[in-house]
C-alpha cells in the first residue's frame, strides 16, 4: 500500500510501517521521536477502548493523530528532497542568505514611506533617491518571496508577521500581492495550515490584485489537498463561513471557470499558430496595410476585449479569423501565450519572484523602460500596456523587448503608430490608462501569469504543474472542498453550460446530473443538455434515453427531434429514428438531408420498396446528383429491380463518366446479371492496383450476399481476375 492511500484511509498500522520505512532514508531523530509518540498515543487510545472506556474525545484525538502523521510525511519528503535534489532551484534558493521576516517588514514600510516623502523633492534628487530606494525594495521583496516560498511549516510568529504585512497601512499592495503568490507557491510545495489561513485573510483585503490572487491560490491549494482538508476544522470552518456570502460564491465560480478554461490554452495557442495568424498574414489587406492602429475599433481600445479590426472591404477569411480571435479573447482564452512564451528568456525571468510581480516600472530592470514612456516609444508602450489584454509577465516581456530593439527599430515602430493613429487615439489611450481592471480580469490575468510560470520557466521541470492534463478538473464534483457550491443551482448551471461550450462534456454532464433534473417541463432543457453531453461523449444509448425524456416534456422542440433521431440511428433504433425524421419532415417536406436520413433508416431496415419513392424525390430535388442516383440504383438492386438499377447507373455515367463508385456498382450489377465480361471491363476501368479498388469492390458484397443470396465466391473469382489482368494481352 502507498503511504498516500494509507493516510487517506486512516489505516494507522500501515501508516506507521510506511512512515518508518521512509524515515530510514532521512535519519532525523526529531521525526522518529514524533512518529514514536504518535504510535504510543494511538496504542494507548486502543488500550482504553479494549478495556471498555468510552472516551468522547476519541474522534478529535484520531483526527489530531492523522494530522500529525501527515506532517511527519511532509517533513520527511522535504528532508529527502534536500538530500537528493541539493542542486535544484528550490534548494539553491533555500540556502541563500535572507533577511529575517521582521526586518523585511520594516524595510518594506521604510520604502513606501521613503517614496511618499520624495514627492516634493527636486527631479534630480528624486530620481537618484528613487533608484536607491527601488534597489533596496527589490532586495526586500525578493527576500520575502524566497523566504516564504522555501519556508518550513510556519510557527505562530511567522503567521503573525505575514499578517502584519497584509494588514499594514504603509506597505503597498504590490508587496502584499507578491506575498500571496509566495504563500501559494509554498503551499504547492508542502501543506501548511497557517499559510492556508493567510490566503483566507488575504481574500478580505480590499485591493483586487491581492484578493484575487488569494482566491486563485485557495482553489489550487484546496484542490491539491482535498483529501486532508477535512481534518483541519479551522480551515473547514473558515471556508464554510465564507461560503455563506454570495459574493465569495460567485467569485469562486468565475475563477473556477477561468482555471478550467486554462486547460485549453495549448489548443488555443496551436490554433493561433497554425490557423488564425497564418490566415491573417496571408490576407492581401494585411500585406498592404498591416494591422494598423487606425484599423482597430474604438471599443477594442477602450476595454481590450471587443475588436472589429477590419472593415467590410477586407477579405472575408482574414476578417473571420480576426473575429474568431476576438471571440476567444472575449471568452477569456489566453490567445497570447504562444506569442510571449518566446519572450521569457530575459535575465529578469531568472528570478522566481519576478514571475509573480504585478506590473510596475518601479523595479530596477524597468527604470530604463520607464524613460521610454517619455520618448518616441511612449505611444506604442501606452497602447500595449493600457489598451491590450496582456497579463503582468507579458507586459514585462514587452517592455524588456522595447529596451533592446535598438533606436532605429524603436523610431520606425513609433513612427508607424503615429502615422496610423486616429484623431481620437490620445483620448482613447488616456481612458485606457485610467481604466481599472474588473475583478474577473485580474483573476484571469493572474492565471495567465501562473500558466506561463509552470509552462515556460527555465526550471519548470522542478515544479508540479497545476495545469497538467493529469490534474483533476476544477469542478465541485471532484473536489469535496468545493461541495458547498452544489447548493447554488444558478451558478452551478452556468458552470455546467460553460464546461459544455468548452467541450468538457463529461464534467458538464455530471454537473447537470447533480442538479437532479425532474421529469417536468421546466427541466426539459436540462435533459437536452445531459443528452447532448452524453452524445458528445460517445454514450449514444444514454443520450437516447435523455432525449426521449426531453421530447416527452417538450414535444415541439425540433432541436430535440433532430438529435434524438441521430442517436436513435446510431444505436440502430431505426424505427424510432424514422419516426422522428418523419416529424421533422412534416414541417420541412423538401429538406434533402432529412429525406436522406429517412431513406437510410428504411435501407437499414431492409425496406427498399418503401425507400425508392423517397429516393426518386431526392434525385429530383438534388438535380440528379451522383450520390442520389447511386443510392437509387442501390435500392433498386436490393429490391430485385436489377434492370432498373442498371438503367439508372447507365444514365448517371452518361453525364458523369468518371464517377468511380457508380462504375463499380454497375459492374456488380452486370456480374449479378451474369454478364461477366462486361463486369470485368468495368472493373478494369477503375482498377489502379491500390487499396482503394479493394475497398470499393467489397463495400456492398456482404449486403448482396445477405439480401440477394448471391454467391460470394463469384465475386472472389472476378476480383482475382481483375487484379491479375486475366483478359489483358
Amino acid at each position: 500500500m502507498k503511504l498516500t492511500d494509507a493516510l487517506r484511509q486512516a489505516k494507522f498500522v500501515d501508516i506507521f510501517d510506511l512512515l518508518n520505512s521512509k524515515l530510514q532514508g532521512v535519519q532525523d531523530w526529531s521525526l522518529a521521536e514524533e512518529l514514536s509518540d504518535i504510535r504510543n498515543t494511538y496504542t494507548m487510545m486502543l488500550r482504553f477502548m479494549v478495556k471498555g472506556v468510552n472516551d468522547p474525545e476519541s474522534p478529535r484525538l484520531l483526527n489530531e493523530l492523522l494530522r500529525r502523521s501527515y506532517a511527519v510525511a511532509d517533513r520527511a519528503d522535504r528532508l529527502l528532497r534536500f538530500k537528493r535534489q541539493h542542486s535544484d532551484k528550490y534548494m539553491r534558493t533555500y540556502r541563500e542568505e535572507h533577511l529575517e521576516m521582521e526586518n523585511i517588514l520594516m524595510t518594506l514600510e521604510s520604502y513606501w514611506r521613503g517614496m511618499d516623502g520624495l514627492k516634493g523633492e527636486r527631479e534630480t534628487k528624486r530620481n537618484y533617491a528613487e533608484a536607491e530606494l527601488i534597489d533596496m525594495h527589490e532586495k526586500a521583496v525578493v527576500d520575502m518571496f524566497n523566504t516564504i516560498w522555501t519556508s518550513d511549516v510556519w510557527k505562530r510568529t511567522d503567521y503573525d508577521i505575514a499578517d502584519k504585512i497584509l494588514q499594514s497601512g504603509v506597505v503597498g499592495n504590490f508587496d502584499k500581492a507578491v506575498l500571496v503568490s509566495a504563500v501559494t507557491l509554498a503551499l504547492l510545495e508542502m501543506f501548511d495550515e497557517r499559510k492556508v489561513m493567510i490566503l483566507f485573510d488575504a481574500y478580505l483585503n480590499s485591493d483586487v490584485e491581492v484578493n484575487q490572487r488569494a482566491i486563485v491560490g485557495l482553489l489550487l491549494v484546496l484542490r491539491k489537498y482535498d483529501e486532508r482538508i477535512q481534518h483541519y476544522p479551522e480551515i473547514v470552518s473558515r471556508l464554510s463561513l465564507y461560503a455563506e456570502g454570495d459574493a465569495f460564491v460567485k467569485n469562486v465560480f468565475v475563477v473556477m471557470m477561468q482555471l478550467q478554461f486554462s486547460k485549453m490554452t495549448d489548443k488555443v495557442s496551436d490554433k493561433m499558430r497554425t490557423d488564425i495568424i497564418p490566415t491573417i498574414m496571408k490576407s492581401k489587406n494585411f500585406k498592404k496595410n498591416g494591422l494598423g492602429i487606425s484599423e482597430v475599433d474604438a471599443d477594442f481600445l477602450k476595454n481590450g476585449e471587443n475588436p472589429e479590426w477590419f472593415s467590410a472591404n477586407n477579405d472575408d477569411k482574414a476578417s473571420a479569423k480576426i473575429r474568431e480571435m476576438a471571440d476567444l479573447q472575449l471568452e477569456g482564452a489566453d490567445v497570447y501565450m504562444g506569442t510571449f512564451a518566446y519572450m521569457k528568456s530575459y535575465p529578469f525571468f531568472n528570478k522566481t519572484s519576478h514571475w509573480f510581480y504585478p506590473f510596475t516600472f518601479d523595479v530596477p530592470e524597468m527604470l530604463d523602460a520607464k524613460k521610454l514612456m517619455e520618448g518616441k516609444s511612449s505611444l506604442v508602450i501606452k497602447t500595449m500596456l493600457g489598451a491590450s489584454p496582456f497579463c503582468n509577465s507579458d507586459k514585462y516581456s514587452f517592455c524588456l523587448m522595447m529596451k533592446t530593439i535598438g533606436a532605429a527599430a524603436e523610431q520606425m515602430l513609433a513612427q508607424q503608430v503615429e502615422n496610423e493613429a486616429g484623431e481620437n487615439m490620445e483620448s482613447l489611450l488616456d481612458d485606457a490608462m485610467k481604466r481599472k481592471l474588473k475583478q474577473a480580469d485580474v483573476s484571469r490575468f493572474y492565471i495567465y501569469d501562473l500558466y506561463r510560470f509552470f509552462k515556460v520557466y527555465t526550471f519548470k521541470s522542478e515544479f508540479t504543474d497545476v495545469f497538467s492534463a493529469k490534474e483533476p478538473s476544477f469542478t465541485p464534483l471532484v473536489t469535496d472542498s468545493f461541495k458547498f457550491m452544489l447548493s447554488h443551482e444558478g451558478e452551478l448551471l452556468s458552470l455546467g453550460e460553460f464546461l459544455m461550450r468548452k467541450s468538457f462534456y463529461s464534467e458538464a454532464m455530471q454537473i447537470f446530473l447533480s442538479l437532479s433534473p425532474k421529469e417536468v417541463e421546466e427541466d426539459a432543457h436540462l435533459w437536452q443538455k445531459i443528452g447532448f453531453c452524453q452524445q458528445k461523449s460517445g454514450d449514444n444509448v444514454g443520450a437516447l434515453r435523455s432525449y426521449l425524456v426531453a421530447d416527452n416534456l417538450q414535444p415541439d422542440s425540433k432541436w430535440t427531434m433532430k438529435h434524438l433521431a441521430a442517436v436513435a440511428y446510431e444505436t440502430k433504433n431505426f424505427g424510432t429514428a424514422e419516426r422522428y425524421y418523419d416529424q421533422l419532415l412534416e414541417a420541412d417536406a423538401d429538406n434533402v438531408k432529412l429525406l436522406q436520413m429517412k431513406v437510410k433508416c428504411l435501407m437499414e431496415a431492409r425496406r427498399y420498396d418503401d425507400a425508392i419513392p423517397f429516393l426518386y424525390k431526392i434525385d429530383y430535388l438534388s438535380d440528379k446528383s451522383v450520390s442520389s442516383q447511386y443510392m437509387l440504383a442501390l435500392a433498386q438492386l436490393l429490391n430485385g429491380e436489377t434492370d432498373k438499377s442498371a438503367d439508372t447507373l447507365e444514365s448517371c455515367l452518361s453525364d458523369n463518366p468518371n464517377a468511380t463508385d457508380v462504375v463499380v456498382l454497375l459492374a456488380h450489377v452486370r456480374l449479378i446479371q451474369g454478364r461477366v465480361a462486361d463486369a470485368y471491363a468495368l472493373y478494369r476501368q477503375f482498377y489502379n492496383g491500390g487499396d482503394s479498388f479493394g475497398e470499393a469492390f467489397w463495400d456492398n458484397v456482404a449486403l448482396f450476399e445477405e439480401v440477394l443470396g448471391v454467391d460470394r465466391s463469384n465475386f472472389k473469382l472476378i476480383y482475382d481476375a481483375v487484379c491479375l489482368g486475366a483478359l489483358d494481352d
Side-chain angles (χ1 to χ4, degrees):
M1 174 176 278
K2 294 181 179 179
L3 179 56
T4 52
D5 294 331
L7 287 165
R8 186 179 68 254
Q9 298 171 35
K11 293 187 174 181
F12 280 97
V13 174
D14 294 318
I15 289 171
F16 297 146
D17 289 342
L18 292 166
L19 276 179
N20 188 59
S21 298
K22 183 184 284 285
L23 293 181
Q24 297 301 315
V26 175
Q27 296 181 344
D28 183 278
W29 69 268
S30 62
L31 285 182
E33 191 174 72
E34 170 70 355
L35 179 59
S36 177
D37 187 63
I38 295 170
R39 181 172 186 144
N40 291 337
T41 303
Y42 184 64
T43 303
M44 183 75 70
M45 189 194 80
L46 294 178
R47 184 177 299 133
F48 284 128
M49 180 201 71
V50 172
K51 290 182 177 180
V53 177
N54 183 20
D55 184 0
E57 290 295 306
S58 291
R60 185 197 61 77
L61 180 58
L62 277 172
N63 198 49
E64 176 64 24
L65 293 177
L66 191 60
R67 288 168 57 176
R68 289 172 63 187
S69 298
Y70 268 116
V72 170
D74 288 342
R75 298 288 298 281
D77 286 336
R78 179 177 168 84
L79 291 173
L80 285 170
R81 179 177 186 175
F82 287 0
K83 187 175 182 179
R84 297 170 182 170
Q85 297 168 265
H86 51 82
S87 63
D88 70 3
K89 181 69 172 178
Y90 184 90
M91 282 305 304
R92 283 184 280 124
T93 304
Y94 173 77
R95 287 195 296 267
E96 292 174 358
E97 289 188 15
H98 303 299
L99 293 171
E100 294 292 329
M101 285 295 290
E102 287 189 12
N103 293 332
I104 289 172
L105 171 59
M106 289 188 291
T107 304
L108 295 178
E109 289 185 333
S110 65
Y111 164 76
W112 291 100
R113 287 194 182 98
M115 291 294 282
D116 190 58
L118 289 174
K119 291 179 180 178
E121 297 291 343
R122 295 192 311 273
E123 184 177 357
T124 304
K125 181 179 179 181
R126 185 177 69 247
N127 290 342
Y128 179 79
E130 276 184 357
E132 283 193 332
L133 283 171
I134 286 171
D135 283 338
M136 176 189 73
H137 178 249
E138 167 71 1
K139 180 174 178 6
V141 173
V142 171
D143 274 347
M144 176 185 71
F145 183 93
N146 289 340
T147 300
I148 293 173
W149 167 40
T150 60
S151 64
D152 202 337
V153 174
W154 274 357
K155 299 180 178 63
R156 180 70 199 189
T157 52
D158 299 317
Y159 169 86
D160 289 341
I161 295 172
D163 189 57
K164 283 181 181 178
I165 294 174
L166 280 177
Q167 302 302 327
S168 172
V170 179
V171 174
N173 292 322
F174 175 96
D175 303 343
K176 296 174 184 179
V178 175
L179 180 146
V180 171
S181 293
V183 169
T184 299
L185 203 62
L187 279 165
L188 294 174
E189 293 283 351
M190 184 174 71
F191 183 82
D192 183 348
E193 182 181 12
R194 288 194 172 97
K195 291 191 182 80
V196 177
M197 299 306 286
I198 276 290
L199 291 183
F200 278 116
D201 295 341
Y203 177 73
L204 299 178
N205 190 282
S206 60
D207 182 73
V208 68
E209 187 74 49
V210 176
N211 61 50
Q212 289 309 290
R213 288 185 178 218
I215 198 167
V216 172
L218 277 170
L219 291 188
L220 291 172
V221 170
L222 291 174
R223 185 187 67 163
K224 180 179 177 67
Y225 299 106
D226 184 46
E227 293 173 345
R228 62 193 287 184
I229 291 295
Q230 60 179 308
H231 302 295
Y232 295 83
E234 287 190 23
I235 294 178
V236 173
S237 177
R238 182 74 73 93
L239 184 59
S240 298
L241 179 64
Y242 281 24
E244 294 176 3
D246 290 339
F248 176 77
V249 172
K250 290 178 180 178
N251 203 170
V252 168
F253 271 105
V254 169
V255 174
M256 188 168 285
M257 285 188 277
Q258 292 172 341
L259 285 167
Q260 186 66 21
F261 203 5
S262 69
K263 287 176 169 282
M264 295 182 63
T265 300
D266 286 345
K267 291 182 180 178
V268 171
S269 297
D270 185 63
K271 186 172 185 63
M272 292 288 294
R273 183 178 63 256
T274 62
D275 180 19
I276 294 177
I277 297 301
T279 301
I280 295 172
M281 295 290 285
K282 291 175 184 176
S283 163
K284 60 181 180 291
N285 290 288
F286 177 87
K287 293 175 181 176
K288 181 180 178 181
N289 302 319
L291 287 177
I293 295 298
S294 61
E295 295 167 332
V296 182
D297 186 85
D299 286 339
F300 171 71
L301 290 173
K302 284 182 179 178
N303 59 32
E305 292 181 338
N306 189 24
E308 290 290 342
W309 290 0
F310 282 4
S311 69
N313 295 325
N314 290 63
D315 54 298
D316 292 339
K317 285 186 178 179
S319 297
K321 291 303 177 185
I322 289 174
R323 284 194 298 273
E324 187 175 355
M325 182 168 72
D327 289 341
L328 286 169
Q329 273 183 232
L330 278 168
E331 292 176 337
D334 188 353
V335 298
Y336 294 109
M337 170 65 184
T339 301
F340 283 96
Y342 301 101
M343 297 173 63
K344 296 293 189 285
S345 58
Y346 294 105
F348 176 82
F349 293 106
N350 288 340
K351 291 183 179 179
T352 308
S353 56
H354 285 176
W355 288 85
F356 303 97
Y357 277 16
F359 181 76
T360 178
F361 284 111
D362 293 329
V363 294
E365 291 85 348
M366 290 292 109
L367 291 180
D368 290 340
K370 188 176 183 179
K371 295 176 184 176
L372 295 175
M373 291 287 283
E374 302 169 358
K376 295 178 180 179
S377 302
S378 61
L379 187 59
V380 179
I381 295 177
K382 287 178 182 178
T383 302
M384 302 306 286
L385 300 184
S388 60
F390 292 167
C391 63
N392 295 295
S393 69
D394 287 354
K395 289 179 179 180
Y396 282 116
S397 296
F398 175 75
C399 288
L400 291 167
M401 182 270 293
M402 289 297 295
K403 282 174 52 180
T404 59
I405 60 174
E410 178 190 337
Q411 184 174 358
M412 183 175 66
L413 183 58
Q415 188 64 49
Q416 182 180 357
V417 172
E418 289 174 6
N419 291 339
E420 295 186 351
E423 294 180 1
N424 299 321
M425 180 59 69
E426 289 290 348
S427 61
L428 290 172
L429 288 175
D430 186 56
D431 291 342
M433 295 300 287
K434 293 178 181 177
R435 175 173 59 92
K436 281 193 173 183
L437 292 176
K438 296 178 182 178
Q439 192 179 68
D441 296 326
V442 174
S443 58
R444 184 173 75 250
F445 293 152
Y446 180 52
I447 291 169
Y448 291 175
D449 285 324
L450 286 169
Y451 193 91
R452 282 150 179 67
F453 173 77
F454 284 105
K455 298 293 185 180
V456 182
Y457 188 30
T458 303
F459 306 99
K460 62 183 180 182
S461 62
E462 298 175 11
F463 296 85
T464 300
D465 181 5
V466 297
F467 298 103
S468 169
K470 296 178 182 178
E471 293 293 319
S473 295
F474 292 92
T475 79
L477 299 178
V478 296
T479 304
D480 286 338
S481 300
F482 303 154
K483 287 290 176 66
F484 67 88
M485 295 189 295
L486 295 178
S487 61
H488 298 266
E489 293 188 0
E491 285 78 9
L492 200 60
L493 179 61
S494 296
L495 177 59
E497 290 170 343
F498 170 82
L499 293 170
M500 180 176 65
R501 289 197 307 274
K502 301 308 167 194
S503 304
F504 297 102
Y505 297 115
S506 178
E507 293 89 342
M509 180 185 65
Q510 293 302 320
I511 285 180
F512 292 141
L513 287 171
S514 74
L515 292 169
S516 302
K518 301 176 179 61
E519 293 192 21
V520 294
E521 185 176 354
E522 291 76 13
D523 284 350
H525 68 287
L526 262 180
W527 289 106
Q528 289 175 339
K529 291 166 186 173
I530 291 168
F532 183 73
C533 291
Q534 290 169 322
Q535 183 181 3
K536 286 293 187 177
S537 300
D539 181 12
N540 286 321
V541 174
L544 179 60
R545 289 195 297 266
S546 298
Y547 285 144
L548 284 170
V549 174
D551 180 65
N552 183 55
L553 300 174
Q554 197 178 75
D556 296 329
S557 171
K558 292 180 181 178
W559 186 94
T560 303
M561 293 180 202
K562 180 180 176 182
H563 286 77
L564 204 164
V567 295
Y569 181 84
E570 290 297 325
T571 53
K572 302 187 183 304
N573 289 281
F574 302 118
T576 301
E578 182 193 355
R579 184 168 72 253
Y580 282 98
Y581 283 124
D582 281 340
Q583 290 183 36
L584 291 165
L585 284 165
E586 287 177 6
D588 194 4
D590 292 337
N591 187 308
V592 172
K593 290 185 177 179
L594 293 176
L595 287 167
Q596 288 172 335
M597 289 307 302
K598 176 178 174 62
V599 164
K600 284 186 175 182
C601 294
L602 293 170
M603 296 279 281
E604 291 287 355
R606 307 291 189 260
R607 293 166 55 194
Y608 307 112
D609 191 40
D610 294 334
I612 289 172
F614 292 100
L615 284 165
Y616 275 116
K617 184 174 183 178
I618 292 170
D619 192 38
Y620 170 76
L621 292 171
S622 60
D623 198 21
K624 293 190 176 295
S625 68
V626 172
S627 61
S628 67
Q629 291 182 79
Y630 176 89
M631 286 301 297
L632 174 59
L634 180 61
Q636 290 169 329
L637 176 61
L638 294 170
N639 199 42
E641 301 173 15
T642 311
D643 293 340
K644 285 185 179 181
S645 176
D647 292 342
T648 301
L649 293 168
E650 290 279 11
S651 174
C652 181
L653 285 175
S654 65
D655 296 324
N656 306 279
N658 296 319
T660 54
D661 286 350
V662 177
V663 173
V664 173
L665 183 56
L666 180 57
H668 287 337
V669 172
R670 295 306 185 206
L671 184 63
I672 292 170
Q673 288 176 324
R675 296 167 58 176
V676 180
D678 291 341
Y680 177 88
L682 288 166
Y683 288 134
R684 287 296 291 180
Q685 283 183 35
F686 177 53
Y687 180 71
N688 57 10
D691 293 336
S692 58
F693 172 73
E695 292 173 2
F697 183 95
W698 293 107
D699 186 34
N700 288 313
V701 171
L703 189 60
F704 299 155
E705 186 178 20
E706 179 184 345
V707 176
L708 301 175
V710 299
D711 188 348
R712 187 181 183 87
S713 63
N714 290 336
F715 282 88
K716 178 66 172 67
L717 291 171
I718 194 71
Y719 177 80
D720 290 347
V722 172
C723 292
L724 295 173
L727 296 184
D728 296 355
D729 293 333

